[in-house]
């Protein structure tokens, strides 16, 4: 992949890629990144690239011509038409989904604005998409362009020193990471969690998964809800496929303790205690989740008693059948 940054401060960009992991990726030939000075394309006799806004007002506006010529000169060096992006506080906010999408392109041109903005016509003429890096005000598009470059570069094969980091990342996709610890085992009286010293890799994985859920639930409840929603939708569609159900089904959910879930998995529990005022009735489909809300089983209620329901297990995913 090739990334070109059109800017009034090319040295600022070059300094950053020299020093960073992106710089290593460039040196090792996994990605090409160039910075171009928009000022080199000015046709103004004083080399100006900005002028007063029509209609009056403070500040200066970057003129269309130097930006246009700079982008066209860069485009001509690309084998296939690159995607043109204008870093703008009015753009769509950059997300990891967007980064993954951009990482698949063979070429990107990033336009950095400054002053009070850019003449609107050049953005239209170039059909540039606008991307912001968040809802706060910076002095220019250079730092945003470098953020985008960094995020896209690290997804190019070969750029990250440890490619394994990838598979971990996809496993915890949509969740925050579990906490990490290194030596010493005790620091300022704070111990490393026992399980990490146990050497029991399966237990370590379980702990990390649980911590990942716990941390996300606490720090990013929005991400957590989205994660549970995705898991649940996937779970339901797998159930429907396996049960050859195509129509609409209403599901209730019940969160159960790990102990009770274990009994159910082994076929050793046939009823669940519920509140007197619960509206669960015979024939209802229920998703049983763990205490985090992660779906585990689907059951159908076979009998409603005052404080409990009896059920029949309809669905347990493949991976729930094997382990313990
Ligand atoms: C008239 C002043 N501004 C309205 C608040 C317009 C303005 C234009 C350009 C304000 C800041 C900038 C410089 N910022 C960027 O070019 C920019 C940016 C940002 O400021 N925040 C988040 N993402 C981005 S991407 C480019």
């Amino acid at each position: 992949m090739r990334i070109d940054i059109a800017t009034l401060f090319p040295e600022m960009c070059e300094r950053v890629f020299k020093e960073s992991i992106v710089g290593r990726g460039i040196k090792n030939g996994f990605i090409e990144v160039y910075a171009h000075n928009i000022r080199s394309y000015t046709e103004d006799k004083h080399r100006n690239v900005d002028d007063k806004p029509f209609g009056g007002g403070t500040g200066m506006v970057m003129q269309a011509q130097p930006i246009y010529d700079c982008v066209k000169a860069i485009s001509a060096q690309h084998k296939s038409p690159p995607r043109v992006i204008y870093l703008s506080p009015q753009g769509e906010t950059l997300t990891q989904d967007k980064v993954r999408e951009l990482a698949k392109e063979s070429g990107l041109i990033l336009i950095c604005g400054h002053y009070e903005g850019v003449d609107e016509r050049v953005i239209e003429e170039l059909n540039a998409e606008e991307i912001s890096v968040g809802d706060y005000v910076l002095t220019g598009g250079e730092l945003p362009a470098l953020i985008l470059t960094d995020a896209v570069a690290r997804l190019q094969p070969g750029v990250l020193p440890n490619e394994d980091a990838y598979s971990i990342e996809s496993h915890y996709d949509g969740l925050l990471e579990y906490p990490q610890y290194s030596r010493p085992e005790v620091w300022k009286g704070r111990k490393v969690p026992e399980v990490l010293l146990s050497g029991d890799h399966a237990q370590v994985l379980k702990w990390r998964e649980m911590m990942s859920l716990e941390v996300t639930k606490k720090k990013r409840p929005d991400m957590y809800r989205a994660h549970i929603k995705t898991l649940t939708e996937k779970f339901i569609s797998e159930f429907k496929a396996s049960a050859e159900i195509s129509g609409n089904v209403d599901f209730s959910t019940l969160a159960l303790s790990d102990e009770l879930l274990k009994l159910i998995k082994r076929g050793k529990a046939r009823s669940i205690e519920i509140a007197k005022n619960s509206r669960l009735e015979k024939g209802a489909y229920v998703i049983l989740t763990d205490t985090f809300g992660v779906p585990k089983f689907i059951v159908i209620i076979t009998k409603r008693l005052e404080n409990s329901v009896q059920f029949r297990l309809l669905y347990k995913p493949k991976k729930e059948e094997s382990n313990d």
Side-chain angles (χ1 to χ4, degrees), residues 13-199:
C13 300
E14 280 157 358
R15 270 297 279 275
V16 175
F17 3 110
K18 270 211 195 89
E19 307 284 340
S20 58
I21 290 181
V22 176
R24 269 200 42 239
I26 297 168
K27 219 172 79 196
N28 297 332
F30 296 114
I31 182 166
E32 292 174 83
V33 186
Y34 306 100
H36 307 262
N37 196 339
I38 293 169
R39 198 178 298 280
S40 313
Y41 295 85
T42 180
E43 286 175 350
D44 180 87
K45 57 178 178 292
H46 305 294
R47 299 196 83 218
N48 284 334
V49 289
D50 60 333
D51 207 334
K52 290 173 292 186
F54 278 125
T58 52
M60 301 289 264
V61 175
M62 285 174 73
Q63 290 163 287
Q65 174 271 319
I67 295 175
Y68 184 80
D69 290 349
C70 181
V71 169
K72 286 292 153 187
I74 298 165
S75 287
Q77 300 171 10
H78 282 248
K79 291 181 198 84
S80 58
R83 204 151 147 176
V84 181
I85 293 166
Y86 168 44
L87 282 308
S88 153
Q90 299 181 357
E92 167 192 347
T93 310
L94 188 63
T95 59
Q96 190 61 21
D97 277 346
K98 190 73 184 180
V99 169
R100 276 191 282 260
E101 179 194 318
L102 296 175
K104 292 180 198 142
E105 298 287 334
S106 62
L108 299 177
I109 298 179
L110 309 180
I111 303 169
C112 304
H114 244 266
Y115 308 108
E116 300 304 298
V118 164
D119 190 313
E120 193 64 25
R121 293 168 296 183
V122 70
I123 305 306
E124 289 171 10
E125 183 66 24
L126 291 169
N127 226 323
E129 46 186 312
E130 296 186 47
I131 294 182
S132 156
V133 295
D135 291 338
Y136 40 83
V137 183
L138 301 168
T139 58
E142 283 74 18
L143 291 171
L146 289 167
I147 287 173
L148 196 157
T149 301
D150 191 273
V152 165
R154 67 181 282 287
L155 295 185
Q156 303 304 311
V159 171
L160 282 190
N162 183 2
E163 293 264 295
D164 296 353
Y166 241 148
S167 56
I168 294 168
E169 196 166 56
S170 58
H171 184 249
Y172 289 90
D173 217 7
L175 288 178
L176 300 179
E177 263 172 54
Y178 51 80
Q180 300 268 28
Y181 302 86
S182 184
R183 292 205 295 177
E185 280 182 26
V186 184
W187 181 77
K188 290 196 190 292
R190 295 167 187 274
K191 295 195 180 93
V192 171
E194 205 62 50
V195 60
L196 300 181
L197 309 173
S198 69

Side-chain angles (χ1 to χ4, degrees), residues 278-286 300-304 309:
S278 164
R279 297 206 212 173
L280 271 188
E281 291 299 339
K282 182 178 171 178
Y285 287 88
V286 183
I300 188 163
I301 303 303
T302 51
K303 191 167 190 177
R304 168 71 202 250
V309 285

